[in-house]
Amino acid sequence: MNSNLTYPLYILKVHRGLIIFSMVLVAFFQFLIIWLMSSINYVPIMEAILNQLPPQMKIIFNQEFMNRLSIDGAAAFGFNHPIVLMVLGIVAIILPTRHIAGEIEAGTLELLLSYPVSRSRLNISLALSSATILIAIIVAGWIGSFSALIIFNHFSMEMFGQLIKIGLILWILLCLITNYSLLISVYGREAGKSGLRSAGITLIFYFLNFIATLWESLEFTQVINPFHYYQPQKLMFGEQSFILDAVVLLSATIFFFIIAYLHFSRRDIP
Amino acid sequence: MNHQTVIQVKNLTKYYGNRLGIKNLNFEAKAGEIFGFLGPNGAGKTTTIRLMLDLLKPTSGSLELMGLELPQNSLEIRKRTGYLPGDFTAYQHLTVEEFISFISSIRRLAGKPESKLIDLLSFRNNLNHRIKHLSHGNRQKLGIIQTFIHNPELVILDEPTTGLDPIVQEEFYDFLEEYRDQGNTIFFSSHNLPEVEKICHRVAIIREGTLVALETLEHLKKKRYRRLKLILSHPIPELAFEGAELIKSHNLEFEFLIKGDLAPILKKIATLPVRDIVLPEPDLEEVFLYYYRGKDEQ
């Protein structure tokens, strides 16, 4: 076996249960959401309910919300559902946390680095393995979406292209989460603490993005919020620039990777 | 550097923030020797080893292993070195065989490595077991196997016999001597004085981050103090021996510190009403306290 693949294959082996679970869950969720939207016509029902609400409440349920009730919106919404984001976020955080801070804590990183393995090779292997695992889960999501769209006769090339773009942006967002978790991990020495910090930051960004869409005073935070650059519904309806979002998220990902890489190359392994 | 010098440590210092790890360490280990590195817990032994493996970055000073400077040649050095950490931990969910295969692949070893140590340590029955299910002693055996799997020129062992039963320990010492006879170098770190005395040629003694002695074993043994505890069956008017210092007495129990030859003292003891006699192995703190007392007093 090529020795460069030894560590990435080990990572895959360690996490195979979580990876398969995430792939099945995301694929099933995507399939289910499109299936439900194909079977029941929610729009008149929801419009009737919304008409009963006071005007202040109606603001929350805006046009974007109504768009979700179409097949396109549902397909996009599936990739933005809190359950899907939570599962993918956990995978994105666990990988660097477990293999840097966790292995420092367990003492296995000391052993691994006593072998002829360079720190840069380790860092790059970890980042590439994480990216591969995350894209595999997103591919499972695509398979779930496309199979449902084909089975229920809603498939179009336009929707195919938009879903590919949404999946790719989601992948870059998750790579960004992985890389700031990697940065937190290379400064840490305990998996639990590093993981909690990464999860905390991710949750803050997620909720801040949600609140900032409702509360104008917090709009200024959007520019530094990674979730602001991931708007699947807007992407689906062509209201958001795929290239711009991808460039911003990718630049931040590379930035965090470089800082983590530099610090990890110099740090002491206790 | 002499081509026979395998480890050369020059003015090596490591601080962790404001806390001292080791200070101005200087020593050399030659090819084909078992070099003992002795010190109590927290003395700086593991810090020195981690610096040798490029796991820690030195505050100042330099290190050369097998003629290669660190950190520039870190990978080449680690390729030719075997290391057994003090508290050996491997990937818990792997089986022993998977772990051996993992390190063989990382080390780019051709074919399936067959270590003589697997049989020597009676470890073959554990090959299919998960590492997390191994006992402490068996985990240590696995640590030893992975250390030697690639026949390294330099072996760094940090408290290697922890958890091994006495028979296996003896077999392991024999293996180390045989391995050394093949021209390899063994850096043997321990806090166990008798163990170091048993197999090492030269010993460096470290305390509170500083090298306090670098001796051959013969020299160490000559200078070493021993404790002698006597329990008398009834009181006698005076109890004293030449070359021995009374350090403790309570009722009929007397404790002496002896430097040099024991024989004349034992001859005199034979004439006394002795109920029991104990010659405890000195622990390291005693070695530091008494062995170097003379030096401090000068």
Side-chain angles (χ1 to χ4, degrees):
Chain A
M1 191 202 303
N2 181 346
S3 81
N4 290 323
L5 290 176
T6 310
Y7 193 65
L9 288 175
Y10 161 74
I11 293 173
L12 286 178
K13 187 181 163 80
V14 173
H15 299 286
R16 63 184 185 273
L18 178 67
I19 297 166
I20 293 168
F21 168 78
S22 308
M23 288 172 80
V24 170
L25 184 98
V26 172
F28 177 72
F29 201 83
Q30 287 299 112
F31 186 91
L32 188 72
I33 214 159
I34 293 171
W35 179 33
L36 285 174
M37 287 306 295
S38 308
S39 326
I40 307 163
N41 188 3
Y42 280 103
V43 178
I45 303 167
M46 289 307 294
E47 275 179 348
I49 293 169
L50 288 177
N51 284 336
Q52 307 299 316
L53 294 173
Q56 293 89 340
M57 290 289 285
K58 273 188 191 170
I59 296 167
I60 298 171
F61 300 98
N62 53 16
Q63 189 57 43
E64 192 185 319
F65 175 77
M66 292 307 291
N67 283 342
R68 288 176 189 173
L69 299 175
S70 65
I71 291 291
D72 309 46
F77 175 63
F79 277 114
N80 201 23
H81 193 280
I83 291 175
V84 170
L85 289 182
M86 191 180 74
V87 169
L88 287 164
I90 288 171
V91 175
I93 290 167
I94 274 184
L95 294 167
T97 300
R98 162 105 187 247
H99 291 284
I100 299 290
E103 289 206 21
I104 289 174
E105 189 179 2
T108 43
L109 193 66
E110 176 192 357
L111 186 68
L112 185 63
L113 290 176
S114 74
Y115 302 141
V117 176
S118 69
R119 295 189 190 196
S120 52
R121 181 175 144 196
L122 188 74
N123 230 330
I124 292 166
S125 293
L126 186 54
L128 291 180
S129 306
S130 306
T132 308
I133 289 168
L134 291 168
I135 196 72
I137 299 171
I138 288 167
V139 167
W142 279 329
I143 291 170
S145 302
F146 298 140
S147 50
L149 290 171
I150 291 166
I151 290 168
F152 302 110
N153 297 315
H154 293 293
F155 185 81
S156 70
M157 282 316 287
E158 194 189 346
M159 202 189 287
F160 174 83
Q162 296 303 82
L163 277 175
I164 293 288
K165 282 182 186 171
I166 289 169
L168 286 176
I169 290 281
L170 176 59
W171 177 57
I172 303 171
L173 171 72
L174 293 165
C175 288
L176 171 58
I177 295 173
T178 294
N179 280 282
Y180 67 66
S181 301
L182 181 69
L183 179 62
I184 291 167
S185 274
V186 299
Y187 275 93
R189 53 167 69 181
E190 286 174 49
K193 276 186 188 168
S194 300
L196 278 175
R197 282 179 191 144
S198 305
I201 289 170
T202 307
L203 278 174
I204 288 169
F205 277 136
Y206 181 77
F207 285 114
L208 192 62
N209 178 54
F210 180 70
I211 295 165
T213 54
L214 302 174
W215 191 13
E216 275 182 18
S217 308
L218 284 176
E219 240 181 46
F220 72 96
T221 61
Q222 295 288 59
V223 70
I224 55 152
N225 193 326
F227 286 93
H228 174 67
Y229 301 96
Y230 175 62
Q231 310 268 357
Q233 281 84 10
K234 285 187 178 172
L235 263 178
M236 180 59 96
F237 298 106
E239 296 160 14
Q240 190 96 351
S241 163
F242 167 76
I243 299 287
L244 185 66
D245 291 348
V247 167
V248 171
L249 290 173
L250 201 59
S251 307
T253 304
I254 292 167
F255 171 79
F256 284 117
F257 176 76
I258 290 172
I259 303 283
Y261 178 93
L262 291 175
H263 182 71
F264 188 62
S265 307
R266 286 194 294 245
R267 77 161 285 177
D268 286 341
I269 306 297
Chain B
M1 188 171 84
N2 183 328
H3 72 283
Q4 290 293 311
T5 305
V6 175
I7 301 172
Q8 186 168 62
V9 175
K10 272 188 188 166
N11 302 321
L12 194 64
T13 299
K14 174 68 185 174
Y15 276 91
Y16 300 97
N18 293 326
R19 190 168 61 83
L20 175 70
I22 54 167
K23 194 173 181 183
N24 275 332
L25 231 57
N26 287 285
F27 64 85
E28 283 182 1
K30 306 279 180 197
E33 79 170 329
I34 303 181
F35 185 87
F37 197 51
L38 193 64
N41 293 331
K45 301 191 299 291
T46 304
T47 296
T48 310
I49 288 174
R50 286 182 174 158
L51 286 161
M52 285 159 70
L53 291 161
D54 196 27
L55 293 166
L56 300 179
K57 308 293 175 187
T59 307
S60 63
S62 69
L63 267 160
E64 266 184 56
L65 273 75
M66 295 165 284
L68 301 165
E69 246 181 85
L70 268 171
Q72 300 91 313
N73 302 291
S74 175
L75 276 185
E76 181 58 24
I77 287 170
R78 283 183 276 150
K79 198 172 158 187
R80 291 160 60 184
T81 304
Y83 170 51
L84 176 65
D87 186 15
F88 174 75
T89 328
Y91 300 114
Q92 300 290 305
H93 45 274
L94 295 184
T95 65
V96 169
E97 204 157 24
E98 284 169 342
F99 176 67
I100 291 175
S101 159
F102 173 80
I103 52 173
S104 306
S105 173
I106 289 261
R107 288 200 173 275
R108 298 171 201 250
L109 304 178
K112 200 177 175 183
E114 188 53 40
S115 172
K116 174 187 173 184
L117 279 164
I118 293 177
D119 290 318
L120 184 76
L121 298 172
S122 314
F123 199 69
R124 196 162 290 282
N125 291 340
N126 293 300
L127 291 179
N128 294 321
H129 292 178
R130 287 206 185 278
I131 292 170
K132 67 179 165 194
H133 295 142
L134 294 179
S135 66
H136 182 62
N138 277 335
R139 268 210 302 274
Q140 192 68 4
K141 287 179 185 177
L142 177 61
I144 291 170
I145 291 165
Q146 64 84 34
T147 306
F148 289 90
I149 204 156
H150 55 298
N151 293 319
E153 287 166 53
L154 169 64
V155 177
I156 298 172
L157 305 171
D158 194 0
E159 311 281 359
T161 54
T162 314
L164 297 184
D165 65 59
I167 297 169
V168 176
Q169 274 186 27
E170 288 303 324
E171 283 168 347
F172 180 58
Y173 295 146
D174 291 344
F175 172 81
L176 288 183
E177 282 172 351
E178 197 184 302
Y179 198 75
R180 177 228 27 223
D181 291 343
Q182 293 164 16
N184 301 304
T185 308
I186 297 163
F187 184 85
F188 193 101
S189 166
S190 176
H191 66 267
N192 185 338
L193 182 62
E195 178 177 71
V196 169
E197 279 184 343
K198 198 172 281 180
I199 58 161
C200 295
H201 307 128
R202 288 192 306 138
V203 183
I205 301 179
I206 184 172
R207 191 187 185 203
E208 291 171 2
T210 314
L211 202 68
V212 289
L214 184 57
E215 308 270 13
T216 61
L217 244 298
E218 297 82 57
H219 202 207
L220 180 79
K221 280 179 178 166
K222 268 185 210 158
K223 286 168 74 179
R224 186 180 133 183
Y225 282 89
R226 297 194 74 121
R227 272 193 301 148
L228 168 71
K229 196 172 170 185
L230 275 184
I231 304 168
L232 301 181
S233 52
H234 56 80
I236 56 169
E238 196 192 351
L239 184 62
F241 305 104
E242 202 172 319
E245 181 190 340
L246 181 67
I247 52 169
K248 214 192 278 178
S249 71
H250 178 67
N251 296 333
L252 294 172
E253 289 186 22
F254 299 87
E255 206 167 318
F256 293 90
L257 195 66
I258 301 165
K259 191 186 172 192
D261 196 4
L262 262 179
I265 294 168
L266 290 175
K267 214 177 262 179
K268 189 173 177 190
I269 288 171
T271 65
L272 300 173
V274 175
R275 201 179 73 204
D276 201 1
I277 176 168
V278 185
L279 275 163
E281 283 292 349
D283 62 29
L284 263 185
E285 276 307 313
E286 284 172 334
V287 172
F288 293 128
L289 281 174
Y290 301 119
Y291 178 77
Y292 292 98
R293 196 168 57 161
K295 212 179 255 183
D296 292 344
E297 281 165 359
Q298 286 161 22

